[in-house]
Amino acid sequence: MSSSTSSSIRRPAAKHSAAVLPGILSLFCFICIWTIAAGLMRAPLILPSPAASARALAKLARQTDFWIAIAMTFLRTMLSFCISVVSGTVLGALCGRSPWLRAFFAFPIELVRAAPVVSFILMALFWFTSGTVPVFVSVLAAFPVMESAVSEGIRRMDSGLLEMARVYRLSRWQQLRWITVPAVLPPFCAGAISAFGLSWKATIAGEVLCLPRAGAGTLMQTAQIHLETADVAAITLVAAGICFAMERGAARALGGITGRAG
């Protein structure tokens, strides 16, 4: 094996190590600070230690209802995320092409973006069942992100490329494939990753307040009522870990798609 080939293999490994080590160090510091703070407070009801939270997580992991609740939250999140992506992409494409539509929808979109999520949850409790409220609220939280990302990507398309497409009489399909998609895909991918995180958090927030039959938020609220703070911390860690893993996986997958499209 040549030296150039060996160096090309070592480069990705070194880059991966450089990215992983700070993350491990950050996690270690977080656990240390958490342990010290819990030890100083000496109040497990207010701040359980990492060890107590780990024991609570081990207890919950042996319960089938725990994993059913996590799965239901995940399904609600994916449903709301798909609705947000489709509707946000369609409206974003229309608003990106039409200044009139962009001005028309500016106020309602900004209203949804600025209003507190809790207010939508409380109002939606009068309109939908407890299992539907988290989906509705999650769509409202993520939809403006996707609409803005797609609309911004279309508005920032290179006018020179569009003029060249007209000169060479490219078909609409060719313009879409070679100009529109490469221009919109990077902001679309970034918006999709942000939208998933918002969907996940809004879904759990909705579950905490409306208490569907199964959900991570329902488990949190039930544990809080019974003063089981360690269980709340354990469920929070699981929810955060799932969101982190999904966002990282989506970022890598969408990054590969963006690279191929470009």
Side-chain angles (χ1 to χ4, degrees):
M1 184 181 292
S2 65
S3 59
S4 60
T5 305
S6 300
S7 61
S8 64
I9 293 175
R10 285 196 298 267
R11 256 187 243 112
K15 185 178 180 181
H16 179 71
S17 299
V20 169
L21 289 177
I24 295 175
L25 181 61
S26 176
L27 177 62
F28 177 76
C29 291
F30 171 75
I31 294 175
C32 288
I33 294 172
W34 182 5
T35 303
I36 293 171
L40 292 175
M41 292 188 68
R42 296 182 181 178
L45 186 62
I46 299 175
L47 182 63
S49 66
S53 300
R55 288 192 296 270
L57 178 58
K59 178 193 70 175
L60 291 170
R62 294 192 293 269
Q63 301 175 9
T64 305
D65 290 344
F66 172 74
W67 295 111
I68 292 176
I70 296 297
M72 289 302 299
T73 298
F74 182 78
L75 289 176
R76 292 187 185 103
T77 301
M78 292 307 300
L79 175 60
S80 62
F81 174 70
C82 291
I83 295 173
S84 301
V85 169
V86 173
S87 58
T89 300
V90 171
L91 185 59
L94 295 174
C95 292
R97 294 287 188 181
S98 171
W100 191 91
L101 285 177
R102 185 163 64 250
F104 179 80
F105 284 105
F107 173 73
I109 290 176
E110 288 302 320
L111 179 63
V112 171
R113 192 198 307 272
V117 174
V118 175
S119 63
F120 287 121
I121 296 174
L122 295 176
M123 288 190 295
L125 284 171
F126 295 102
W127 306 333
F128 307 110
T129 62
S130 59
T132 308
V133 171
V135 177
F136 172 75
V137 173
S138 181
V139 170
L140 290 182
F143 166 77
V145 176
M146 291 305 306
E147 188 278 334
S148 297
V150 175
S151 177
E152 188 69 17
I154 290 178
R155 292 203 305 272
R156 291 190 175 184
M157 282 194 302
D158 191 340
S159 58
L161 292 177
L162 295 175
E163 182 63 28
M164 183 182 68
R166 284 191 288 269
V167 170
Y168 286 96
R169 298 181 179 178
L170 296 183
S171 66
R172 288 186 177 274
W173 169 250
Q174 289 174 321
Q175 292 183 38
L176 179 69
R177 171 64 183 89
W178 299 110
I179 299 176
T180 304
V181 171
V184 174
L185 199 55
F188 171 86
C189 292
I193 295 170
S194 299
F196 179 82
L198 285 172
S199 298
W200 181 255
K201 289 182 282 190
T203 298
I204 294 178
E207 290 174 346
V208 168
L209 289 181
C210 69
L211 298 177
R213 181 172 299 179
T218 303
L219 291 180
M220 288 183 184
Q221 180 70 336
T222 303
Q224 191 270 338
I225 292 173
H226 292 99
L227 302 179
E228 296 173 344
T229 314
D231 286 11
V232 176
I235 298 167
T236 302
L237 290 175
V238 171
I242 292 174
C243 185
F244 176 80
M246 290 294 296
E247 285 185 342
R248 284 299 179 92
R252 289 194 176 188
L254 294 175
I257 294 173
T258 303
R260 289 195 296 271

